[in-house]
Amino acid sequence: MAWSIAEVARASGVTSRTLRHYHSIGLLVPARTAPNGRRYYEQEQLLRLQQILLLRDLGLSLDVVAEVIEHRSSHDTIEVLTRHKEWLLREQLRLGQLLRTVDTTIENLRKGGEMSPEKVFEGFEHNPYEAEARERWGDEAVDASYERMRGWSEADAEKARTGYTRVHEGLAALKAEGVAVTELSVQELIQLHYEVTCLFWTPTRDAYKGLGQMYVDDERFRQNIGTGDDALVEYLRDAMTVYADNRLDA
């Protein structure tokens, strides 16, 4: 059987324009193209499109998706699908928690009761950088980070929630006083920054220095950390460099 581009678009949720783009870059070539230019797809192309969508869902760029698909064996496909299934199961659990949170909220509103902040936001979880992290550092590194998070104690979770903010606020005050980044008061805050970072992954000397430089180079991190004060972000980077050079292994 063969399906037209309109039928595939309707079934997959991918626009016809996107399918034509995939064709133009050689990522998804139709089984045949009619004399009138209409594209038709068969089972092989549908399965390939499924793989493309799964890989895109994991946060990979089109270039990387093309490379992965071209060099993938059936074993690799099964591995990716298995990983995606695990993610879907985790997402199912998270959505189940969200559903329970909404049910509890509705019930409390009906009764005129109040909920603690922890209960109001129970189950909410969003990392806007995950897709980019998977593309930049790979699924293994990101999955390892989530594995660490699952082993957190309550103290670890509290440090992760508040640690970076404490560092940024403390550094802003010290910078305003003109304290050098080599001073103990600054380096103690960087020690906290490193401890929070290690809750997710353990950077080497160069990796930690690279993280500091990324804060400066990436507009999103500059805004999140400095809230308009780029000098504070550079102060953090310089302090991280001093810490890495004096305390971390290569």
Side-chain angles (χ1 to χ4, degrees):
M1 289 184 64
W3 294 268
S4 69
I5 189 171
E7 291 172 322
V8 173
R10 187 165 51 251
S12 66
V14 177
T15 65
S16 296
R17 182 176 181 178
T18 297
L19 291 172
R20 287 193 293 270
H21 175 62
Y22 288 173
H23 183 190
S24 69
I25 63 176
L27 182 59
L28 182 65
V29 179
R32 63 184 176 88
T33 303
N36 62 3
R38 183 172 295 179
R39 298 165 173 82
Y40 289 91
Y41 301 81
E42 297 178 356
Q43 188 72 40
E44 180 182 349
Q45 287 74 45
L46 297 185
L47 292 175
R48 184 179 176 96
L49 177 58
Q50 185 196 60
Q51 292 178 42
I52 292 169
L53 296 180
L54 287 171
L55 291 169
R56 290 290 283 164
D57 202 35
L58 292 173
L60 303 182
S61 68
L62 288 179
D63 289 342
V64 175
V65 168
E67 184 177 351
V68 169
I69 288 179
E70 289 305 317
H71 297 89
R72 177 182 292 168
S73 65
S74 59
H75 172 76
D76 296 327
T77 300
I78 293 171
E79 184 177 345
V80 169
L81 289 173
T82 300
R83 230 176 17 245
H84 194 71
K85 177 185 175 182
E86 291 171 354
W87 177 84
L88 289 172
L89 289 172
R90 291 196 300 272
E91 188 68 2
Q92 183 183 48
L93 291 173
R94 187 182 72 84
L95 291 174
Q97 179 61 67
L98 284 176
L99 180 60
R100 289 190 292 274
T101 297
V102 172
D103 283 340
T104 301
T105 302
I106 292 172
E107 187 65 22
N108 274 270
L109 288 173
R110 283 175 175 165
K111 294 179 179 179
E114 291 187 353
M115 298 172 65
S116 68
E118 291 78 10
K119 288 296 183 183
V120 171
F121 299 110
E122 190 172 7
F124 285 86
E125 183 181 345
H126 177 60
N127 179 3
Y129 303 112
E130 178 175 347
E132 183 176 339
R134 287 187 180 278
E135 183 168 345
R136 180 177 296 188
W137 293 298
D139 290 334
E140 184 175 348
V142 175
D143 290 341
S145 177
Y146 281 129
E147 187 62 32
R148 286 195 183 195
M149 292 168 65
R150 281 191 284 272
W152 283 354
S153 64
E154 289 187 11
D156 291 335
E158 179 62 20
K159 181 183 287 188
R161 280 192 296 269
T162 65
Y164 284 139
T165 300
R166 286 157 54 197
V167 170
H168 301 158
E169 291 175 350
L171 288 180
L174 293 174
K175 182 179 80 68
E177 295 172 7
V179 179
V181 296
T182 54
E183 291 293 325
L184 179 61
S185 55
V186 174
Q187 289 302 302
E188 284 179 343
L189 283 172
I190 299 303
Q191 172 66 38
L192 173 59
H193 183 279
Y194 181 74
E195 290 173 0
V196 176
T197 302
C198 286
L199 290 173
F200 303 92
W201 64 294
T202 305
T204 62
R205 179 191 303 158
D206 288 342
Y208 195 57
K209 291 163 69 173
L211 179 64
Q213 187 61 47
M214 186 182 74
Y215 290 161
V216 173
D217 293 340
D218 192 307
E219 174 67 21
R220 296 164 301 177
F221 285 103
R222 283 207 314 274
Q223 285 299 319
N224 184 50
I225 295 170
T227 59
D229 183 1
D230 289 352
L232 173 59
V233 188
E234 294 169 358
Y235 188 77
L236 170 60
R237 175 202 58 195
D238 295 342
M240 291 171 65
T241 297
V242 171
Y243 182 93
D245 285 338
N246 287 284
R247 301 201 191 183
L248 301 183
D249 296 327

